[in-house]
Amino acid sequence: QGRRRSGSTQPRGMTMIGDVKPDESTAPARRKLLEWWPVRSLTANTVAGVGDYAVLLTSAKLLGLPTAVCAFLGLSVGLSASFLLNRRFVFRDTSATLGGALLRYVAAVTCLMSLHAAAVGLLTDRIGLHIVVAKMLCDATLLTGGQLLLLRWFVFPRNNKNAAAVAVSARPAELV
């Protein structure tokens, strides 16, 4: 339970920011939003991105490696974590085996990583952008949309049998 500040006249259950309780009528919408695969995937990829940036900056600032190598190493860690998190928490409805999904992921991401590393190197070494700014630009343009599409329709395709069963069970009883 939250503690009240001494001398506070605020009743229990109220927020410290104002006298407005969170709107509980939006809870189902928030829950539904969090069940949507793009939101779950972006969340998993954000967590994986923390490792990506940590390796990028460590290899650049502490180890002094070339920029493109740093970007490649960071992406290796981040994309590995992304695969594992997406496989476990996001695309539970996939028909893909672990081995098949991993092979497709490696093929797709190898192309994506090579393009990303080259772009970060170009933006940093040739144009003069800071490495973090260059990486963020490349992440936003190459990884956010492209990786989401690759994950859903190439790496972790939906299991059509399960999708059909879910669609039938979601219909109103009088239509079935």
Side-chain angles (χ1 to χ4, degrees):
Q1 297 262 345
R3 296 178 184 223
R4 286 191 249 174
R5 286 188 263 178
S6 61
S8 174
T9 60
Q10 193 168 26
R12 286 194 181 275
M14 295 296 186
T15 64
M16 295 302 291
I17 297 173
D19 291 339
V20 179
K21 285 187 177 181
D23 184 9
E24 293 181 16
S25 66
T26 62
R30 287 191 312 255
R31 195 173 310 114
K32 188 162 182 87
L33 183 65
L34 292 174
E35 291 172 2
W36 193 35
W37 72 264
V39 172
R40 290 192 324 263
S41 186
L42 288 171
T43 302
N45 292 338
T46 299
V47 171
V50 171
D52 179 340
Y53 279 87
V55 171
L56 169 80
L57 294 174
T58 299
S59 58
K61 300 300 178 189
L62 296 179
L63 302 177
L65 297 174
T67 305
V69 172
C70 297
F72 192 86
L73 291 173
L75 275 173
S76 297
V77 169
L79 291 172
S80 297
S82 173
F83 174 81
L84 295 172
L85 291 169
N86 277 286
R87 170 77 180 174
R88 175 73 174 104
F89 298 109
V90 179
F91 299 109
R92 297 175 295 236
D93 64 348
T94 186
S95 60
T97 63
L98 178 64
L102 185 59
L103 286 174
R104 286 189 300 277
Y105 187 77
V106 167
V109 165
T110 298
C111 294
L112 201 56
M113 283 176 59
S114 299
L115 181 61
H116 185 282
V120 170
L122 175 73
L123 291 173
T124 301
D125 298 339
R126 302 277 187 220
I127 297 176
L129 288 179
H130 188 275
I131 188 171
V132 174
V133 173
K135 179 161 175 28
M136 290 176 83
L137 283 172
C138 292
D139 286 355
T141 57
L142 298 172
L143 297 183
T144 302
Q147 186 181 10
L148 276 177
L149 296 174
L150 283 172
L151 288 171
R152 173 74 280 177
W153 285 282
F154 181 66
V155 178
F156 301 115
R158 187 167 288 159
N159 184 347
N160 291 331
K161 292 177 187 174
N162 286 347
V166 168
V168 168
S169 68
R171 290 184 193 160
E174 65 271 4
L175 296 178
V176 177

